[in-house]
Amino acid sequence: MAHRGDLYGEDFTARTQPLAPGLIAVAGEPALCDPRGALFLPALRLLVVSDLHLEKGSAAARQGRLLPPYDTLATLDLLTAVIEAHNPRIVVSLGDSFHDDWGPGRMPPPWRDRLARLMAGRDWVWVAGNHDPAPPAGLPGDVARGIALGPLALRHEPAAGGQEGEIAGHLHPGAMVVQRGRAVRRRCFATDGMRLVMPAFGAFTGALNVLDPAYDGLFRRERLVAYMLGPERVYAVAGRRLRRG
């Protein structure tokens, strides 16, 4: 595993806020940003992951684009580690769990069985995404277009305008900072304290800079913070320090 200094450099880590527990608040509700890209709501024992895009590699292969076929296994390894760490009572997969509606059928049986074992003994909700609007065939769990939990609203795609308490995915947020001419790019949780957009969790997923016009109107820019994912913790970077690119 790379060291933080290798990824960020001393200047980066000194000028950002390392979050020992990664605890933040969304609309007043405590939430833990896991550096692997999951969000844990301790009061509810609820784990949120977004944009797993399982079976993206096999979908690409069907289109003649040859990618290594191990993205699903890598994502399941990461998901297993997160679930073991937090032992959630509820897991919400916040849309685009599979890269397309045929992904569950392409998943090799041993990997499907492993996913089913992860789901056993806990409530599991598949939120419909734009890539996988249909329920995942042959897998347990409930299916919803969105979930309301007190002041929080969980959905796949962020709604237009100010949406207090919203936790969404879809946009695959990433952030960039520049120190001494060196650019550092990482996936991130993006939030202004009132709403939050999740990083993509899948092994083959990319990131869209939080300063891209696609985010216009979602956050109060003066309060925007990017919680950039490091190998061991997340780093809070104020919006004014972020750069496009």
Side-chain angles (χ1 to χ4, degrees):
M1 178 180 290
H3 297 292
R4 286 196 302 275
D6 296 335
L7 291 168
Y8 300 109
E10 293 181 2
D11 192 55
F12 177 82
T13 54
R15 291 172 178 267
T16 56
Q17 298 177 14
L19 301 180
L23 191 65
I24 65 170
V26 182
E29 293 295 311
L32 184 69
C33 296
D34 189 293
R36 290 161 289 205
L39 188 74
F40 184 60
L41 305 177
L44 300 171
R45 284 187 58 200
L46 185 149
L47 184 76
V48 186
V49 291
S50 187
D51 296 273
L52 278 65
H53 283 271
L54 297 169
E55 292 303 308
K56 183 174 182 178
S58 63
R62 294 178 67 198
Q63 300 170 352
R65 296 182 291 118
L66 298 182
L67 294 175
Y70 305 116
D71 57 302
T72 293
L73 181 58
T75 301
L76 288 177
D77 284 345
L78 194 62
L79 185 60
T80 299
V82 168
I83 288 176
E84 288 179 348
H86 298 288
N87 189 26
R89 182 173 60 89
I90 307 167
V91 176
V92 176
S93 187
L94 208 55
D96 288 359
S97 304
F98 287 85
H99 192 64
D100 56 42
D101 281 337
W102 299 274
R106 294 196 307 273
M107 182 184 286
W111 299 354
R112 177 194 291 270
D113 293 343
R114 182 177 176 186
L115 177 56
R117 289 195 297 272
L118 283 178
M119 300 174 69
R122 63 188 91 247
D123 294 330
W124 194 288
V125 182
W126 304 102
V127 172
N130 57 295
H131 276 263
D132 57 352
L139 286 169
D142 298 315
V143 179
R145 297 205 63 81
I147 303 172
L149 295 169
L152 301 178
L154 280 61
R155 58 174 61 94
H156 175 61
E157 189 169 353
Q163 296 289 325
E164 184 173 336
E166 181 184 77
I167 297 174
H170 181 63
L171 292 176
H172 300 202
M176 184 179 82
V177 294
V178 178
Q179 292 292 337
R180 297 178 181 176
R182 182 187 179 198
V184 178
R185 297 176 178 85
R186 287 289 180 270
R187 293 179 299 141
C188 71
F189 298 88
T191 182
D192 60 0
M194 299 311 297
R195 80 190 312 176
L196 180 142
V197 179
M198 297 279 299
F201 194 84
F204 275 2
T205 52
L208 178 66
N209 193 295
V210 295
L211 301 182
D212 187 271
Y215 297 90
D216 287 353
L218 295 185
F219 304 112
R220 296 167 294 177
R221 286 301 175 100
E222 72 277 7
R223 298 190 179 184
L224 173 64
V225 179
Y227 290 90
M228 297 177 69
L229 307 187
E232 298 174 6
R233 59 179 63 183
V234 296
Y235 289 86
V237 182
R240 65 180 180 277
R241 294 195 54 238
L242 301 176
R243 298 293 179 265
R244 300 181 185 274

